[in-house]
Amino acid sequence: MSRRVVIPVVLVSVAAIAVGGWLSLRRDAPRPASLRAEPTSAFYAAIDTRQNDAAPLTLNEVFTPATRTLGTMRLDSTRQVTDCDEVLRGVSATGCTQALQATYRGSTVSGQFLIFNVSDGRAADALVSALGKDGFVRQDGVFEPARSRAQARAMGHYVTVSWVGGTAPDQDLISALVALDGLGRVVQSRIVAAT
């Protein structure tokens, strides 16, 4: 075999291995068993762009003392990242400047909540759409993804993701998801401040 033939064969082989590895990693990436995704709406028009709501979110603003316990779950940890892709898998958050995350634990249900600060409503809708099909957030909560529920919402230039799972009955998972998703109410105070 001549050298001209060997190099393309090696390159094709390496590319096939890389694509196969990438696909197998994506297939194994944890995703919720049930996901509801919502685009932004006119209700959030006052904060449709970061220009109208320039102050960054803070951990204390989102995770207040009143949210240390949500139903049967207790706040376990919080963190803030500026590289939003650090908390995502298989998808990228275009125009994102920060993501705040909390994990909650309970005896039969656990969960995690994230809020992304992206550039505008279009970027928020694009992230929610991608979460629904291409990838998801990295799992930091201790629960089985195959027995989990999640909610992703675009709200103006923010995206919230609530994800719960565990051994609790389905009704308890729904109650935990509603409680966790309530952390997104912080966005309403941003609407008031922008109007």
Side-chain angles (χ1 to χ4, degrees):
M1 198 183 297
S2 75
R3 183 181 170 119
R4 290 182 190 172
V5 174
V6 171
I7 291 174
V9 168
V10 169
L11 290 175
V12 168
S13 298
V14 168
I17 290 169
V19 168
W22 180 77
L23 288 173
S24 70
L25 285 174
R26 284 197 56 195
R27 201 171 28 248
D28 294 339
R31 289 189 53 81
S34 172
L35 171 65
R36 181 180 170 139
E38 294 181 15
T40 192
S41 69
F43 179 79
Y44 301 101
I47 56 168
D48 190 57
T49 69
R50 195 182 300 126
Q51 292 172 336
N52 297 344
D53 177 36
L57 292 165
T58 67
L59 289 170
N60 290 334
E61 177 183 8
V62 179
F63 310 113
T64 66
T67 64
R68 300 228 184 268
T69 301
L70 297 176
T72 62
M73 300 181 298
R74 292 196 49 79
L75 182 64
D76 186 52
S77 67
T78 61
R79 71 176 177 144
Q80 176 175 318
V81 298
T82 55
D83 179 2
C84 299
D85 291 349
E86 183 181 318
V87 294
L88 293 166
R89 176 172 282 146
V91 65
S92 185
T94 304
C96 186
T97 56
Q98 69 173 160
L100 282 65
Q101 179 182 37
T103 58
Y104 284 80
R105 292 185 192 231
S107 60
T108 60
V109 63
S110 297
Q112 66 186 67
F113 176 86
L114 291 104
I115 185 165
F116 296 89
N117 187 341
V118 297
S119 57
D120 58 32
R122 285 185 310 279
D125 284 346
L127 178 56
V128 167
S129 177
L131 292 171
K133 58 186 175 193
D134 297 331
F136 205 61
V137 298
R138 292 183 184 274
Q139 184 182 6
D140 280 350
V142 181
F143 55 83
E144 175 56 47
R147 179 140 172 72
S148 69
R149 293 179 164 271
Q151 169 84 37
R153 292 179 195 259
M155 296 185 285
H157 72 96
Y158 296 105
V159 171
T160 62
V161 179
S162 307
W163 190 11
V164 299
T167 59
D170 197 47
Q171 185 59 41
D172 291 346
L173 286 180
I174 293 169
S175 297
L177 183 60
V178 169
L180 198 61
D181 194 54
L183 292 168
R185 285 192 296 266
V186 67
V187 173
Q188 293 173 3
S189 64
R190 292 302 184 107
I191 294 171
V192 171
T195 54

